[in-house]
Coordinates of all heavy atoms in Angstrom, one line a residue:
Chain A
P264 N 12.3 -13.3 -9.0 CA 13.5 -13.3 -9.9 C 14.8 -13.7 -9.2 O 15.6 -14.4 -9.8 CB 13.5 -11.9 -10.5 CG 12.8 -11.1 -9.6 CD 11.7 -11.9 -9.0
G265 N 15.0 -13.3 -8.0 CA 16.2 -13.6 -7.2 C 16.4 -15.1 -7.1 O 17.4 -15.7 -7.3
I266 N 15.2 -15.8 -6.7 CA 15.3 -17.2 -6.6 C 15.7 -17.9 -7.9 O 16.6 -18.7 -7.9 CB 13.9 -17.7 -6.1 CG1 13.6 -17.2 -4.7 CG2 13.9 -19.2 -6.1 CD1 12.2 -17.4 -4.2
G267 N 15.0 -17.5 -8.9 CA 15.2 -18.0 -10.2 C 16.7 -17.8 -10.7 O 17.3 -18.7 -11.1
L268 N 17.1 -16.6 -10.5 CA 18.5 -16.2 -11.0 C 19.5 -17.0 -10.2 O 20.5 -17.5 -10.7 CB 18.7 -14.7 -10.9 CG 18.0 -13.9 -12.0 CD1 18.2 -12.4 -11.8 CD2 18.5 -14.3 -13.4
A269 N 19.3 -17.1 -8.9 CA 20.2 -17.8 -8.0 C 20.4 -19.2 -8.5 O 21.5 -19.8 -8.6 CB 19.8 -17.7 -6.6
F270 N 19.3 -19.8 -8.8 CA 19.3 -21.2 -9.3 C 20.0 -21.3 -10.7 O 20.8 -22.1 -10.9 CB 17.9 -21.8 -9.4 CG 17.9 -23.1 -10.1 CD1 18.3 -24.3 -9.3 CD2 17.5 -23.3 -11.4 CE1 18.3 -25.5 -9.9 CE2 17.5 -24.5 -12.0 CZ 17.9 -25.6 -11.3
L271 N 19.7 -20.3 -11.5 CA 20.2 -20.3 -12.9 C 21.7 -20.2 -12.9 O 22.4 -20.8 -13.6 CB 19.6 -19.1 -13.7 CG 19.5 -19.3 -15.2 CD1 18.7 -20.5 -15.5 CD2 18.8 -18.0 -15.8
I272 N 22.2 -19.3 -12.0 CA 23.7 -19.0 -11.9 C 24.4 -20.2 -11.3 O 25.4 -20.6 -11.8 CB 23.9 -17.7 -11.2 CG1 23.4 -16.5 -12.1 CG2 25.4 -17.5 -11.0 CD1 23.3 -15.2 -11.4
T273 N 23.9 -20.6 -10.1 CA 24.7 -21.6 -9.3 C 24.3 -23.0 -9.7 O 25.0 -24.0 -9.4 CB 24.5 -21.4 -7.8 OG1 23.1 -21.6 -7.5 CG2 24.9 -20.0 -7.4
G274 N 23.0 -23.2 -10.2 CA 22.6 -24.5 -10.4 C 22.3 -25.3 -9.1 O 22.0 -26.5 -9.2
S275 N 22.2 -24.6 -8.0 CA 22.0 -25.2 -6.7 C 20.6 -24.9 -6.2 O 20.1 -23.8 -6.4 CB 23.1 -24.8 -5.8 OG 22.6 -24.8 -4.5
K276 N 20.0 -25.8 -5.5 CA 18.8 -25.5 -4.8 C 19.0 -25.4 -3.3 O 18.0 -25.5 -2.5 CB 17.7 -26.6 -5.1 CG 16.9 -26.2 -6.3 CD 15.9 -27.2 -6.8 CE 15.2 -27.9 -5.7 NZ 14.4 -29.0 -6.1
Y277 N 20.2 -25.2 -2.9 CA 20.5 -25.1 -1.5 C 19.8 -23.9 -0.9 O 19.9 -22.8 -1.5 CB 22.0 -25.0 -1.3 CG 22.4 -25.2 0.1 CD1 22.4 -26.5 0.7 CD2 22.9 -24.2 0.9 CE1 22.7 -26.7 2.0 CE2 23.2 -24.4 2.2 CZ 23.2 -25.6 2.8 OH 23.5 -25.8 4.1
P278 N 19.0 -24.0 0.2 CA 18.2 -22.9 0.6 C 18.9 -21.6 0.8 O 18.4 -20.5 0.5 CB 17.6 -23.4 1.9 CG 18.3 -24.6 2.3 CD 18.9 -25.2 1.0
L279 N 20.1 -21.7 1.4 CA 20.8 -20.4 1.7 C 21.1 -19.6 0.4 O 20.9 -18.4 0.4 CB 22.1 -20.7 2.4 CG 22.8 -19.5 3.0 CD1 21.9 -18.8 4.0 CD2 24.1 -19.8 3.6
I280 N 21.4 -20.4 -0.7 CA 21.8 -19.7 -1.9 C 20.5 -19.0 -2.5 O 20.5 -17.9 -2.9 CB 22.4 -20.7 -2.9 CG1 23.8 -21.0 -2.4 CG2 22.4 -20.1 -4.3 CD1 24.5 -22.1 -3.1
L281 N 19.4 -19.8 -2.5 CA 18.2 -19.2 -3.0 C 17.7 -18.1 -2.2 O 17.2 -17.1 -2.7 CB 17.1 -20.3 -3.1 CG 17.3 -21.5 -3.9 CD1 16.1 -22.4 -4.0 CD2 17.7 -21.1 -5.4
M282 N 17.9 -18.2 -0.9 CA 17.5 -17.1 0.0 C 18.3 -15.8 -0.2 O 17.8 -14.7 -0.2 CB 17.6 -17.5 1.5 CG 16.4 -18.3 1.9 SD 16.6 -18.7 3.7 CE 15.4 -20.1 3.8
I283 N 19.6 -16.0 -0.5 CA 20.5 -14.9 -0.8 C 20.0 -14.2 -2.1 O 19.9 -13.0 -2.1 CB 22.0 -15.3 -0.9 CG1 22.5 -15.6 0.5 CG2 22.8 -14.2 -1.4 CD1 23.8 -16.2 0.6
G284 N 19.7 -15.0 -3.1 CA 19.2 -14.4 -4.3 C 17.9 -13.7 -4.1 O 17.8 -12.5 -4.6
A285 N 17.0 -14.3 -3.3 CA 15.7 -13.6 -3.1 C 15.9 -12.3 -2.3 O 15.3 -11.3 -2.6 CB 14.9 -14.6 -2.2
L287 N 18.6 -10.4 -2.3 CA 19.2 -9.4 -3.2 C 18.1 -8.7 -4.0 O 18.1 -7.4 -4.1 CB 20.2 -10.0 -4.1 CG 21.6 -10.3 -3.4 CD1 22.6 -10.9 -4.4 CD2 22.1 -8.9 -2.9
V325 N 12.1 -15.7 -15.9 CA 13.2 -16.5 -15.5 C 12.8 -17.9 -15.2 O 13.3 -18.9 -15.6 CB 14.0 -15.9 -14.2 CG1 15.0 -16.9 -13.7 CG2 14.6 -14.6 -14.6
I329 N 13.7 -21.3 -17.0 CA 14.4 -22.5 -16.4 C 13.6 -23.8 -16.7 O 14.2 -24.8 -16.9 CB 14.4 -22.2 -14.8 CG1 15.4 -21.1 -14.5 CG2 14.8 -23.5 -14.1 CD1 15.4 -20.7 -13.1
L332 N 14.6 -25.6 -19.6 CA 16.0 -26.2 -19.7 C 15.9 -27.7 -19.6 O 15.1 -28.2 -18.8 CB 16.8 -25.6 -18.6 CG 17.2 -24.1 -18.6 CD1 18.0 -23.8 -17.4 CD2 17.9 -23.8 -19.9
D334 N 16.9 -30.0 -17.7 CA 17.6 -30.2 -16.5 C 16.5 -30.5 -15.5 O 15.6 -29.7 -15.3 CB 18.4 -29.0 -16.1 CG 19.1 -29.2 -14.8 OD1 18.9 -30.2 -14.2 OD2 19.9 -28.3 -14.5
R336 N 16.6 -30.8 -12.3 CA 16.8 -30.3 -10.9 C 15.9 -29.1 -10.6 O 15.8 -28.7 -9.5 CB 18.3 -29.9 -10.7 CG 19.2 -31.0 -10.5 CD 20.6 -30.5 -10.5 NE 20.9 -29.7 -11.6 CZ 22.0 -28.9 -11.7 NH1 22.8 -28.8 -10.7 NH2 22.2 -28.2 -12.8
Q337 N 15.3 -28.5 -11.6 CA 14.5 -27.3 -11.3 C 13.2 -27.6 -10.6 O 12.6 -26.7 -10.1 CB 14.3 -26.5 -12.6 CG 13.0 -26.9 -13.4 CD 13.3 -28.0 -14.3 OE1 14.3 -28.6 -14.3 NE2 12.3 -28.3 -15.1
L340 N 10.8 -25.4 -7.9 CA 10.9 -24.0 -7.8 C 9.5 -23.4 -7.8 O 9.3 -22.3 -7.2 CB 11.8 -23.4 -8.9 CG 13.3 -23.6 -8.8 CD1 14.0 -22.9 -9.9 CD2 13.8 -23.0 -7.5

Side-chain angles (χ1 to χ4, degrees):
Chain A
I266 294 168
L268 286 174
F270 173 76
L271 207 58
I272 292 168
T273 64
S275 150
K276 266 175 44 185
Y277 194 70
L279 190 62
I280 288 170
L281 297 187
M282 281 183 197
I283 289 173
L287 280 181
V325 175
I329 290 174
L332 293 179
D334 183 352
R336 283 175 305 166
Q337 88 274 8
L340 284 183

